[in-house]
Amino acid sequence: SLLKYVTAINSRNRNKKQQQRRGAKIHHTNTYQSIKMAAAKADSSTNDTTPTTSSTPTPDVIDVTIHPLVLLSATDHYHRVARGTRKRAVGVLLGSASRGSVDATNSFAVPFEEDSKNSSIFYLDHNYLENMLAMFRKVHAKERVVGFYSTGPQIRPNDLRIYELVQRFVPAGTVTPPVFVIIDVRPDRESIPTTAYRVVEEVDSSVPGGDKTGGGAAEVRKSFAHVPSLIGALEAEEVGVEHLLRDINDPTVSTVANLVKAKLSGLSTLTEKLVEMKDYLTAVSEGRMKANSEIIANMQAIVNLLPNLNVEELVRSMLVKNNDMHMVIYLSALIRCVIALHDLVLNKIAYNDEVGDGLGDVKEKKAVKSDGEEKKEEDGDSKKGDRADSKKKS
């Protein structure tokens, strides 16, 4: 009886455990199904919102980095096509873009012609552009069209139409819009030779017509807005540029002259920027331009960074340092002059020791002439004596 009682209890416990396991499995399946349904709802919601996110406006271009290869190819293109004329060279920029930063690493020239009299007439070879893009994709698959360049040196009316043509070759789904870069190839330019622009849309409400009340109708116009441009290079490009500069370096020009030239170019660029700031403030004060709070804040920050030159100690220290530097430059010039004269004298002395100064030959010739004259005089005297003796004998 005891064994029957124990087996009955064990069977009851087994039944309870099986029921508990079945309930846990049902609970787990229900929770899994609920989680799966929630995930499906989330996927459907994201799929519904994906087109709206793709249709959001494209971000602005923060900056544009131009590599040395682009500058070299643009300069070569200009010298081959438009050197000595009023024409300009146009090409396509290749590279990459991420988070609004455009990196132009390569470029190629495009056949381009425009009428000098009628600015609305121009020609750009589409077939050539497509073939070159196809060949570049075979070599550099990661590089894509990021914009186009022009040797300018200013923006022209056709640039907006060229921008629309180049925009067709930008890959689909690209977030960052293409840029327009003016590469100034003039040798007298002392600042950065690149100026970058992006296209912005402006609403102009001053267009006549539209409604019946005689008011203006708003019109959307595209224009170029300035973007900061940089000159950047990879390590391999820096090595190549250094090798090119070795051939251009002039050994006759001293380091001091190069430093002075760099200072002068920097001061001239600073003068140009100050004049540009003055013109902008004058235009804003006269109402010809709208005031930009960001530009005015940058100007205020620049003015605040200027030192106070009214302090006597600062003025005196600057004068003392300036005089010391001029004294060192003057003494170094004198020492170079004296060393050059000393080397010239030593060179002359060494030349005279090897070849002769030329005076010894003249002295020898004079000595030979004097000896010949003395011999002739002696011969003449002897002849006269012989004649006198012959007369006496006769």
Side-chain angles (χ1 to χ4, degrees):
S1 62
L2 182 62
L3 289 173
K4 290 180 180 179
Y5 179 74
V6 171
T7 54
I9 292 173
N10 290 331
S11 62
R12 188 184 301 173
N13 293 332
R14 288 174 185 172
N15 293 329
K16 287 182 179 179
K17 289 181 180 179
Q18 290 177 358
Q19 290 178 359
Q20 289 177 357
R21 290 175 181 175
R22 290 175 183 174
K25 287 181 179 179
I26 293 169
H27 178 70
H28 285 303
T29 54
N30 292 332
T31 54
Y32 176 74
Q33 289 177 358
S34 61
I35 292 171
K36 192 174 181 180
M37 292 174 65
K41 290 181 179 179
D43 292 337
S44 63
S45 63
T46 53
N47 292 329
D48 294 337
T49 56
T50 300
T52 57
T53 55
S54 62
S55 62
T56 53
T58 57
D60 293 335
V61 179
I62 299 174
D63 55 10
V64 179
T65 303
I66 307 298
H67 285 249
L69 183 59
V70 177
L71 299 177
L72 291 174
S73 61
T75 306
D76 179 68
H77 182 202
Y78 174 80
H79 282 278
R80 286 187 291 104
V81 175
R83 184 178 182 180
T85 63
R86 299 184 64 181
K87 298 180 181 179
R88 59 172 179 163
V90 176
V92 176
L93 297 175
L94 302 175
S96 60
S98 65
R99 297 180 181 179
S101 297
V102 179
D103 197 14
T105 57
N106 203 350
S107 66
F108 63 88
V110 177
F112 175 78
E113 291 289 339
E114 60 183 346
D115 192 356
S116 59
K117 297 181 180 179
N118 190 356
S119 59
S120 61
I121 299 175
F122 71 95
Y123 166 75
L124 193 143
D125 196 343
H126 301 261
N127 296 327
Y128 180 84
L129 201 156
E130 291 178 358
N131 295 330
M132 288 295 292
L133 278 179
M135 288 188 289
F136 268 96
R137 284 169 186 166
K138 294 179 181 179
V139 180
H140 302 286
K142 295 183 179 180
E143 291 183 348
R144 64 175 184 83
V145 177
V146 295
F148 72 102
Y149 72 85
S150 169
T151 56
Q154 295 177 354
I155 299 175
R156 299 190 183 182
N158 289 330
D159 292 334
L160 282 173
R161 299 175 63 186
I162 298 172
Y163 178 87
E164 294 177 355
L165 293 175
V166 174
Q167 196 173 11
R168 300 176 185 174
F169 298 94
V170 177
T174 302
V175 179
T176 306
V179 296
F180 170 46
V181 179
I182 293 178
I183 300 176
D184 196 347
V185 296
R186 292 177 296 182
D188 57 347
R189 185 180 177 89
E190 297 177 352
S191 59
I192 296 177
T194 59
T195 308
Y197 299 93
R198 62 183 176 89
V199 174
V200 294
E201 294 182 353
E202 297 179 349
V203 179
D204 189 3
S205 60
S206 62
V207 179
D211 52 1
K212 296 180 181 180
T213 58
E219 182 182 354
V220 179
R221 292 184 178 180
K222 292 184 178 180
S223 61
F224 287 109
H226 184 266
V227 178
S229 61
L230 308 171
I231 303 296
L234 301 175
E235 185 177 359
E237 293 176 335
E238 290 180 357
V239 173
V241 171
E242 288 179 359
H243 280 285
L244 290 176
L245 291 176
R246 287 178 183 176
D247 298 334
I248 301 174
N249 186 20
D250 190 1
T252 60
V253 180
S254 63
T255 308
V256 179
N258 290 328
L259 292 175
V260 172
K261 186 177 180 180
K263 296 290 184 183
L264 290 175
S265 63
L267 291 174
S268 62
T269 305
L270 179 61
T271 305
E272 292 178 0
K273 298 299 181 184
L274 291 175
V275 171
E276 187 176 356
M277 292 168 62
K278 177 187 174 183
D279 296 338
Y280 173 76
L281 293 175
T282 304
V284 170
S285 62
E286 293 178 355
R288 291 185 283 108
M289 293 182 67
K290 294 181 180 180
N292 191 337
S293 59
E294 186 178 356
I295 296 175
I296 295 175
N298 289 332
M299 290 183 181
Q300 186 65 41
I302 292 170
V303 173
N304 293 333
L305 291 174
L306 294 175
N308 186 9
L309 299 178
N310 296 324
V311 181
E312 293 183 358
E313 295 180 357
L314 180 61
V315 174
R316 188 172 181 278
S317 61
M318 289 183 67
L319 290 175
V320 170
K321 188 174 181 180
N322 191 18
N323 292 332
D324 293 342
M325 291 179 64
H326 280 81
M327 184 183 68
V328 171
I329 293 172
Y330 180 69
L331 289 176
S332 61
L334 286 177
I335 292 170
R336 286 182 63 188
C337 182
V338 172
I339 292 173
L341 290 174
H342 183 68
D343 293 338
L344 180 62
V345 172
L346 291 178
N347 190 12
K348 185 68 175 176
I349 292 172
Y351 179 78
N352 291 334
D353 291 339
E354 293 179 359
V355 179
D357 54 358
L359 298 177
D361 297 337
V362 176
K363 290 180 180 179
E364 290 179 357
K365 290 180 180 179
K366 288 183 178 180
V368 170
K369 288 182 180 179
S370 60
D371 294 337
E373 290 176 354
E374 289 178 357
K375 289 181 179 179
K376 288 181 180 179
E377 290 178 355
E378 290 177 356
D379 294 336
D381 294 337
S382 60
K383 288 180 180 179
K384 289 180 180 180
D386 295 336
R387 290 176 182 176
D389 293 337
S390 62
K391 286 180 180 180
K392 287 182 181 179
K393 288 179 181 178
S394 60

PDB file of all heavy atoms in Angstrom, residues 61 73 153 195 197 283 285 327 336 342 374 389 394:
ATOM      1  N   VAL A  61      27.090  72.099 -48.997  1.00  0.00           N
ATOM      2  CA  VAL A  61      28.505  71.763 -49.114  1.00  0.00           C
ATOM      3  C   VAL A  61      29.281  72.566 -48.087  1.00  0.00           C
ATOM      4  O   VAL A  61      29.194  73.801 -48.043  1.00  0.00           O
ATOM      5  CB  VAL A  61      29.007  72.050 -50.541  1.00  0.00           C
ATOM      6  CG1 VAL A  61      30.485  71.722 -50.652  1.00  0.00           C
ATOM      7  CG2 VAL A  61      28.216  71.244 -51.559  1.00  0.00           C
ATOM      8  N   SER A  73      46.705  69.437 -63.894  1.00  0.00           N
ATOM      9  CA  SER A  73      45.974  69.109 -65.116  1.00  0.00           C
ATOM     10  C   SER A  73      45.206  70.306 -65.656  1.00  0.00           C
ATOM     11  O   SER A  73      45.143  70.520 -66.874  1.00  0.00           O
ATOM     12  CB  SER A  73      45.016  67.950 -64.853  1.00  0.00           C
ATOM     13  OG  SER A  73      44.070  68.316 -63.856  1.00  0.00           O
ATOM     14  N   PRO A 153      38.658  83.992 -65.194  1.00  0.00           N
ATOM     15  CA  PRO A 153      38.818  83.987 -63.737  1.00  0.00           C
ATOM     16  C   PRO A 153      37.587  84.462 -62.981  1.00  0.00           C
ATOM     17  O   PRO A 153      37.646  84.654 -61.762  1.00  0.00           O
ATOM     18  CB  PRO A 153      39.986  84.970 -63.525  1.00  0.00           C
ATOM     19  CG  PRO A 153      39.864  85.934 -64.655  1.00  0.00           C
ATOM     20  CD  PRO A 153      39.302  85.178 -65.819  1.00  0.00           C
ATOM     21  N   THR A 195      38.724  78.955 -56.151  1.00  0.00           N
ATOM     22  CA  THR A 195      37.534  79.556 -55.559  1.00  0.00           C
ATOM     23  C   THR A 195      36.367  78.624 -55.847  1.00  0.00           C
ATOM     24  O   THR A 195      36.075  78.342 -57.013  1.00  0.00           O
ATOM     25  CB  THR A 195      37.254  80.945 -56.137  1.00  0.00           C
ATOM     26  OG1 THR A 195      38.451  81.738 -56.043  1.00  0.00           O
ATOM     27  CG2 THR A 195      36.150  81.645 -55.369  1.00  0.00           C
ATOM     28  N   TYR A 197      32.296  77.231 -55.429  1.00  0.00           N
ATOM     29  CA  TYR A 197      30.922  77.729 -55.335  1.00  0.00           C
ATOM     30  C   TYR A 197      29.969  76.536 -55.333  1.00  0.00           C
ATOM     31  O   TYR A 197      30.268  75.466 -55.861  1.00  0.00           O
ATOM     32  CB  TYR A 197      30.574  78.644 -56.524  1.00  0.00           C
ATOM     33  CG  TYR A 197      31.427  79.876 -56.626  1.00  0.00           C
ATOM     34  CD1 TYR A 197      32.573  79.881 -57.421  1.00  0.00           C
ATOM     35  CD2 TYR A 197      31.105  81.033 -55.930  1.00  0.00           C
ATOM     36  CE1 TYR A 197      33.362  81.008 -57.519  1.00  0.00           C
ATOM     37  CE2 TYR A 197      31.893  82.167 -56.030  1.00  0.00           C
ATOM     38  CZ  TYR A 197      33.022  82.145 -56.823  1.00  0.00           C
ATOM     39  OH  TYR A 197      33.806  83.262 -56.920  1.00  0.00           O
ATOM     40  N   ALA A 283      28.875  98.740 -48.742  1.00  0.00           N
ATOM     41  CA  ALA A 283      27.659  98.361 -49.465  1.00  0.00           C
ATOM     42  C   ALA A 283      26.505  98.090 -48.503  1.00  0.00           C
ATOM     43  O   ALA A 283      25.347  98.441 -48.789  1.00  0.00           O
ATOM     44  CB  ALA A 283      27.932  97.125 -50.323  1.00  0.00           C
ATOM     45  N   SER A 285      26.115  99.445 -45.461  1.00  0.00           N
ATOM     46  CA  SER A 285      25.686 100.733 -44.888  1.00  0.00           C
ATOM     47  C   SER A 285      24.872 101.553 -45.878  1.00  0.00           C
ATOM     48  O   SER A 285      23.945 102.276 -45.479  1.00  0.00           O
ATOM     49  CB  SER A 285      26.910 101.527 -44.423  1.00  0.00           C
ATOM     50  OG  SER A 285      27.762 101.817 -45.532  1.00  0.00           O
ATOM     51  N   MET A 327      69.565  95.347 -38.842  1.00  0.00           N
ATOM     52  CA  MET A 327      71.014  95.372 -38.640  1.00  0.00           C
ATOM     53  C   MET A 327      71.638  94.041 -39.043  1.00  0.00           C
ATOM     54  O   MET A 327      72.693  94.003 -39.699  1.00  0.00           O
ATOM     55  CB  MET A 327      71.321  95.683 -37.181  1.00  0.00           C
ATOM     56  CG  MET A 327      72.824  95.822 -36.894  1.00  0.00           C
ATOM     57  SD  MET A 327      73.167  96.102 -35.153  1.00  0.00           S
ATOM     58  CE  MET A 327      72.688  94.525 -34.484  1.00  0.00           C
ATOM     59  N   ARG A 336      78.710  89.229 -47.066  1.00  0.00           N
ATOM     60  CA  ARG A 336      78.657  88.537 -48.358  1.00  0.00           C
ATOM     61  C   ARG A 336      79.429  89.305 -49.424  1.00  0.00           C
ATOM     62  O   ARG A 336      80.135  88.710 -50.258  1.00  0.00           O
ATOM     63  CB  ARG A 336      77.205  88.375 -48.791  1.00  0.00           C
ATOM     64  CG  ARG A 336      76.438  87.306 -48.017  1.00  0.00           C
ATOM     65  CD  ARG A 336      75.016  87.185 -48.535  1.00  0.00           C
ATOM     66  NE  ARG A 336      75.001  86.751 -49.917  1.00  0.00           N
ATOM     67  CZ  ARG A 336      73.925  86.709 -50.677  1.00  0.00           C
ATOM     68  NH1 ARG A 336      72.757  87.108 -50.190  1.00  0.00           N
ATOM     69  NH2 ARG A 336      73.992  86.286 -51.926  1.00  0.00           N
ATOM     70  N   HIS A 342      86.837  89.087 -51.773  1.00  0.00           N
ATOM     71  CA  HIS A 342      88.017  88.319 -51.380  1.00  0.00           C
ATOM     72  C   HIS A 342      88.201  87.113 -52.311  1.00  0.00           C
ATOM     73  O   HIS A 342      89.331  86.838 -52.751  1.00  0.00           O
ATOM     74  CB  HIS A 342      87.851  87.859 -49.927  1.00  0.00           C
ATOM     75  CG  HIS A 342      89.031  87.111 -49.392  1.00  0.00           C
ATOM     76  ND1 HIS A 342      90.259  87.708 -49.159  1.00  0.00           N
ATOM     77  CD2 HIS A 342      89.168  85.803 -49.054  1.00  0.00           C
ATOM     78  CE1 HIS A 342      91.110  86.809 -48.699  1.00  0.00           C
ATOM     79  NE2 HIS A 342      90.469  85.641 -48.619  1.00  0.00           N
ATOM     80  N   GLU A 374     120.955  98.765 -79.318  1.00  0.00           N
ATOM     81  CA  GLU A 374     122.336  98.960 -78.901  1.00  0.00           C
ATOM     82  C   GLU A 374     123.289  98.298 -79.890  1.00  0.00           C
ATOM     83  O   GLU A 374     124.342  98.860 -80.245  1.00  0.00           O
ATOM     84  CB  GLU A 374     122.544  98.366 -77.500  1.00  0.00           C
ATOM     85  CG  GLU A 374     121.851  99.192 -76.409  1.00  0.00           C
ATOM     86  CD  GLU A 374     122.033  98.566 -75.050  1.00  0.00           C
ATOM     87  OE1 GLU A 374     122.647  97.466 -74.992  1.00  0.00           O
ATOM     88  OE2 GLU A 374     121.595  99.149 -74.054  1.00  0.00           O
ATOM     89  N   ASP A 389     139.148 105.750 -90.825  1.00  0.00           N
ATOM     90  CA  ASP A 389     140.495 105.201 -90.975  1.00  0.00           C
ATOM     91  C   ASP A 389     140.866 105.084 -92.429  1.00  0.00           C
ATOM     92  O   ASP A 389     142.023 105.387 -92.839  1.00  0.00           O
ATOM     93  CB  ASP A 389     140.574 103.819 -90.297  1.00  0.00           C
ATOM     94  CG  ASP A 389     140.426 103.946 -88.806  1.00  0.00           C
ATOM     95  OD1 ASP A 389     140.695 105.015 -88.241  1.00  0.00           O
ATOM     96  OD2 ASP A 389     140.005 102.949 -88.154  1.00  0.00           O
ATOM     97  N   SER A 394     144.080 107.137 -97.092  1.00  0.00           N
ATOM     98  CA  SER A 394     144.102 107.656 -98.450  1.00  0.00           C
ATOM     99  C   SER A 394     144.738 109.044 -98.461  1.00  0.00           C
ATOM    100  O   SER A 394     145.456 109.401 -99.380  1.00  0.00           O
ATOM    101  CB  SER A 394     142.687 107.742 -99.004  1.00  0.00           C
ATOM    102  OG  SER A 394     141.851 108.602 -98.207  1.00  0.00           O
TER     103      SER A 394
END
